[in-house]
Amino acid sequence: MRVVVAMSGGVDSSAAAALLKEQGHEVIGITLRVWSYEGNAKCGSCCSPDDIDDARAVAQTLGIPFYVANAEEIFQDRVVNPFVQSYLGGKTPIPCVACNRDVKFNFLLKRARALGARLATGHYAQVEEVDGRFHLRRAADAAKDQSYFLFTLGQEELRDVLFPVGHLTKAEVRAVAERHQLPTTHKPESMEICFVPDGDYAGFVEKVAGPQPSGEVVDPEGNVLGTHNGIHRFTVGQRKGLNLGGGEVRYVQRLEPETNRVVVGPAEGTGRAQFGLLQPHWVDAPPPPDQAVEVRIRHRHAGAPGRVHISPHGLVSVQLDAPARAVTPGQAAVVYDRDRVLGGGWIV
Ligand SMILES: Nc1ncnc2c1ncn2[C@@H]1O[C@H](COP(=O)(O)OP(=O)(O)OP(=O)(O)O)[C@@H](O)[C@H]1O
């Protein structure tokens, strides 16, 4: 079969291309140029000029055709702008989900289909066909699992999507790259959001949206405890950077964009057992109300038992068995049945 491999210049998608080639498929490498990097910014996963060169070198080693597609406009529109707006609105965004949904598994998938091909990525996740329906599953390597970032995929996408490294450990992936002598074999992991390689999200927001107004830091009763220099600098559960001097340890409980206030208090106040899900999406069908599920409220969350409730008007909420710490608006809540992703939505 013909397969387009989304090549980031990292080792995972390099190995994905190598595996598909080994299996005898007709492999085409495509790198998306999503962002113009200033100066010598190093970026591990979303394609600085260095990464594009790495992807090209891998394609050359494997002897597969290679193309660079310009996706800067859609990336700006669907990923970067909403990221900034989300921070300004007192939320903590997770742009990789939007990038997967709108850029990789929409923009790029359409191009792959136009070439009569399926689309493969180096994501650590698994797709399984069961009775004609497609299940999205966690990766075999729990430490690398990226299924959380893929909950917006549906049947329409999954039938044409391959995750060739999803059943492997990272060590096995590097061994595949080594076997093919790929130039990316020893490339380090990227940890940060790709368009903010230095991890300074607040600085990025200010660069795009300008300086942000200062406001009050208050306790849950509304008593003013101090001032802050922009709510985009805070997230629920945050303890550091509150500048409140000594005294009891306080955590951000919530952000109030309407009043530009940061509400702080004891850790218990960051916990919630019940929350709404915005733009809910189901990989196949939503879980019935009596089904016990596991809900991950952020990427590095182990998951908490709970249930999904859907009102007669279609409003979706999650009820956890016990309150979870730092339930953060803007992050995704992803619903699992054991290792199967059922779907999810944005925490409100
Ligand atoms: N700029 C890009 N162009 C094409 N595909 C990309 C690009 N960025 C990421 N991808 C695809 O999305 C997958 C997951 O991206 P992520 O940023 O999580 O990279 P990763 O886990 O570090 O993988 P890799 O080692 O391949 O970079 C990549 O394996 C690759 O298939």
Side-chain angles (χ1 to χ4, degrees):
M1 98 182 121
R2 183 178 290 169
V3 187
V4 163
V5 180
M7 294 181 71
S8 64
V11 65
D12 301 326
S13 47
S14 302
L19 285 169
L20 292 167
K21 180 91 197 298
E22 265 177 10
Q23 290 158 14
H25 299 300
E26 183 193 343
V27 181
I28 301 167
I30 298 187
T31 294
L32 298 171
R33 188 196 306 278
V34 293
W35 190 247
S36 296
Y37 288 87
E38 297 158 19
N40 294 322
K42 280 268 177 193
C43 158
S45 70
C46 78
C47 286
S48 66
D50 286 353
D51 293 318
I52 295 179
D53 287 346
D54 286 345
R56 183 180 286 111
V58 168
Q60 209 160 23
T61 307
L62 292 172
I64 60 172
F66 175 76
Y67 304 94
V68 178
N70 187 344
E72 282 184 45
E73 203 176 302
I74 187 168
F75 192 74
Q76 181 74 41
D77 190 43
R78 301 295 175 83
V79 181
V80 179
N81 292 346
F83 173 83
V84 171
Q85 288 310 318
S86 181
Y87 268 120
L88 298 181
K91 295 181 176 175
T92 306
I94 171 162
C96 305
V97 175
C99 179
N100 283 332
R101 183 191 59 198
D102 294 340
V103 182
K104 293 171 191 157
F105 299 104
N106 186 335
F107 177 87
L108 186 55
L109 179 56
K110 279 188 188 145
R111 268 151 193 75
R113 283 178 173 153
L115 294 169
R118 289 188 174 182
L119 177 67
T121 69
H123 282 109
Y124 286 83
Q126 304 189 77
V127 184
E128 193 188 353
E129 190 177 349
V130 180
D131 300 331
R133 306 297 291 173
F134 294 92
H135 292 190
L136 176 62
R137 295 191 181 282
R138 295 183 212 247
D141 185 345
K144 295 298 305 171
D145 177 43
Q146 291 179 308
S147 60
Y148 174 88
F149 297 105
L150 297 167
F151 77 91
T152 61
L153 298 186
Q155 296 298 304
E156 191 43 33
E157 291 82 27
L158 289 176
R159 70 183 163 85
D160 282 334
V161 164
L162 305 168
F163 300 128
V165 304
H167 63 291
L168 302 176
T169 64
K170 185 80 191 191
E172 288 168 332
V173 167
R174 286 208 194 273
V176 170
E178 182 116 55
R179 192 163 75 230
H180 288 267
Q181 300 185 327
L182 301 183
T184 52
T185 301
H186 301 293
K187 202 163 166 178
E189 299 271 22
S190 49
M191 303 309 284
E192 297 296 346
I193 290 171
C194 71
F195 54 94
V196 195
D198 62 1
D200 178 11
Y201 307 134
F204 182 86
V205 168
E206 285 164 18
K207 211 150 73 178
V208 175
Q212 293 305 304
S214 56
E216 294 170 343
V217 179
V218 299
D219 69 14
E221 287 73 45
N223 300 305
V224 178
L225 304 176
T227 55
H228 67 76
N229 48 359
I231 55 168
H232 64 295
R233 298 180 168 274
F234 300 90
T235 185
V236 173
Q238 180 175 334
R239 183 168 65 87
K240 292 190 179 142
L242 295 177
N243 288 326
L244 299 175
E248 62 186 276
V249 179
R250 293 188 173 92
Y251 298 81
V252 174
Q253 292 190 344
R254 63 175 195 280
L255 301 171
E256 286 184 357
E258 324 76 52
T259 59
N260 196 28
R261 297 198 304 185
V262 175
V263 182
V264 301
E268 305 82 77
T270 70
R272 277 200 285 164
Q274 211 257 339
F275 50 88
L277 286 192
L278 215 61
Q279 296 175 5
H281 170 86
W282 306 108
V283 174
D284 195 348
D290 54 352
Q291 184 179 340
V293 295
E294 189 182 311
V295 184
R296 285 167 73 187
I297 57 167
R298 70 185 83 84
H299 172 45
R300 290 283 169 215
H301 182 226
R307 275 160 220 279
V308 172
H309 179 74
I310 304 178
S311 80
H313 303 295
L315 294 177
V316 177
S317 60
V318 166
Q319 178 70 50
L320 300 177
D321 293 356
R325 285 269 297 271
V327 176
T328 307
Q331 294 282 292
V334 179
V335 178
Y336 290 78
D337 175 14
R338 286 155 293 176
D339 73 336
R340 184 177 165 198
V341 178
L342 300 180
W346 305 101
I347 297 170
V348 275

